[in-house]
């Protein structure tokens, strides 16, 4: 097997609580233990959210910096640690930008809808994206719909998004109520990206069709993000054991299709070469 796919894990997200699933890691020790197991299972990147003392999602720079450093020290040799800027309806673009500049993570995820909500107001975003590129922060732009893909293309064409140093995340099912993804969602966004052969991209999906969506992404050439942020069920709708078990199920499926998982060293090389 020579064809590789990167597995990323999103183990907690902004909203899920241990009361909803006992294996949701929201404090630092449980998150580190979870990520160690996820690395053992084959994940090469971790997408992390900071939680405050009440368990709520937080973009507080001090809290995020402390969490990022502790996770980086514990598992950074085994995984790329990606910081989120998710606004959850609470944080302004300026606060998201301030967070990233304070922490200076190796990698970051950004929802274009949140960071550039007004198509006519792009000056702040242009400056920030240039800062990310200058500091070699590997950036993931989150897209939820083919219209978001078109918006990304416009921002890149106009020079607001630099041509290098980033990749995309297609999210299946976020715009549905309740959120529930299908493989067709991934295909629609992939088809909206004409230069998909020349740009790294990945996919994640809400709901128990998660592995079907991710398998579709792998077959189309994409990488994969899995984890409790989007789904806590197996494909047969049984309750998943934990994040690492979800990765193991996915890895077994990928291996049956002839794919192997990309190790973190190869991922970091890909990231470096993207700038």
């Amino acid at each position: 097997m020579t064809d590789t796919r990167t597995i990323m894990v999103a183990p907690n997200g902004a909203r899920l609580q241990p009361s909803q699933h006992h294996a949701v890691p929201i404090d630092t020790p449980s998150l580190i233990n979870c990520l160690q197991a996820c690395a053992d299972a084959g994940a090469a990147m971790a997408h992390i959210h900071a939680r405050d003392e009440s368990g709520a999602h937080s973009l507080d720079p001090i809290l995020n910096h402390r969490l990022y450093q502790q996770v980086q020290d514990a598992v950074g040799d085994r995984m790329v640690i990606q910081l989120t800027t998710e606004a959850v309806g609470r944080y302004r673009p300026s606060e998201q930008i301030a967070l990233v500049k304070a922490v200076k993570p190796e990698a970051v995820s950004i929802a274009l809808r949140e960071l550039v909500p007004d198509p006519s107001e792009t000056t702040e975003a242009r400056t920030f994206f240039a800062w990310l590129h200058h500091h070699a922060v590997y950036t993931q732009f989150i897209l939820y719909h083919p219209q978001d893909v078109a918006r990304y293309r416009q921002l890149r064409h106009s020079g607001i998004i630099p041509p290098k140093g980033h990749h995309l995340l297609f999210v299946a099912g976020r715009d549905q109520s309740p959120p529930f993804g299908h493989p067709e969602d991934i295909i629609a966004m992939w088809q909206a990206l004409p230069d998909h052969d020349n740009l790294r991209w990945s996919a994640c999906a809400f709901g128990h069709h998660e592995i079907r969506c991710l398998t579709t992404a792998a077959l189309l050439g994409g990488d994969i993000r899995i984890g409790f942020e989007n789904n806590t069920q197996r494909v047969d709708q049984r309750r998943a054991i934990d994040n690492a078990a979800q990765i193991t199920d996915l890895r077994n499926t990928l291996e049956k299709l002839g794919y192997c998982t990309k190790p973190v060293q190869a991922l970091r090389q890909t990231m470096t070469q993207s700038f």
Side-chain angles (χ1 to χ4, degrees):
M1 295 185 296
T2 59
D3 204 353
T4 62
R5 296 291 181 268
T6 298
I7 296 180
M8 295 168 268
V9 62
N12 51 14
R15 298 173 177 83
L16 197 64
Q17 297 293 331
S19 60
Q20 296 168 278
H21 195 296
H22 72 278
V24 178
I26 64 169
D27 60 36
T28 303
S30 62
L31 178 59
I32 289 172
N33 288 338
C34 170
L35 294 182
Q36 293 281 16
C38 290
D40 290 340
M45 178 182 281
H47 169 86
I48 63 171
H49 288 247
R51 303 291 189 95
D52 63 20
E53 291 183 355
S54 69
H57 171 73
S58 174
L59 294 188
D60 176 76
I62 295 175
L63 181 64
N64 275 266
H65 190 275
R66 181 168 61 246
L67 174 67
Y68 184 83
Q69 289 302 318
Q70 290 175 327
V71 172
Q72 182 74 17
D73 290 344
V75 297
D77 61 331
R78 307 186 66 198
M79 311 177 82
V80 172
I81 310 302
Q82 181 194 76
L83 193 68
T84 186
T85 64
E86 185 173 351
V88 296
R90 294 173 50 195
Y91 294 97
R92 300 184 301 274
S94 60
E95 294 172 297
Q96 296 171 277
I97 292 170
L99 165 68
V100 179
K101 289 187 174 182
V103 178
K104 292 183 180 178
E106 180 177 15
V108 68
S109 69
I110 293 169
L112 280 182
R113 290 183 182 182
E114 295 178 345
L115 200 79
V116 197
D118 185 344
S120 66
E121 295 291 337
T122 59
T123 301
E124 187 177 37
R126 180 193 293 270
T127 301
F128 178 51
F129 295 154
W131 183 93
L132 290 169
H133 189 270
H134 175 74
H135 289 277
V137 178
Y138 191 56
T139 303
Q140 179 185 77
F141 291 113
I142 304 173
L143 310 173
Y144 300 101
H145 188 275
Q147 292 177 351
D148 289 343
V149 178
R151 178 85 187 285
Y152 160 79
R153 291 170 54 195
Q154 187 274 325
L155 291 172
R156 184 175 171 182
H157 179 73
S158 63
I160 294 168
I161 293 177
K164 298 180 179 181
H166 66 271
H167 67 134
L168 307 180
L169 176 69
F170 298 155
V171 183
R174 177 64 179 83
D175 285 343
Q176 300 180 34
S177 183
F180 194 82
H182 296 273
E184 293 80 4
D185 301 325
I186 303 297
I187 294 170
M189 286 183 276
W190 179 79
Q191 289 177 329
L193 190 68
D195 59 344
H196 49 73
D197 288 334
N198 299 312
L199 182 68
R200 296 307 307 169
W201 63 276
S202 56
C204 67
F206 285 88
H208 68 271
H209 287 320
E210 181 181 44
I211 284 189
R212 292 191 178 103
C213 293
L214 302 185
T215 302
T216 299
L219 292 169
L220 292 172
D223 292 318
I224 296 154
R225 196 187 87 176
I226 193 168
F228 279 8
E229 176 165 344
N230 300 115
N231 173 54
T232 60
Q233 292 180 304
R234 303 183 69 182
V235 69
D236 58 7
Q237 299 189 48
R238 288 185 296 159
R239 188 180 179 90
I241 298 172
D242 55 25
N243 282 281
Q246 293 287 74
I247 294 170
T248 298
D249 285 348
L250 172 63
R251 186 174 184 176
N252 289 339
T253 299
L254 293 176
E255 288 178 353
K256 290 175 183 177
L257 293 172
Y259 300 113
C260 59
T261 54
K262 181 177 288 189
V264 66
Q265 297 87 351
L267 173 58
R268 283 199 165 103
Q269 183 178 14
T270 297
M271 292 165 55
T272 299
Q273 292 173 346
S274 73
F275 286 95

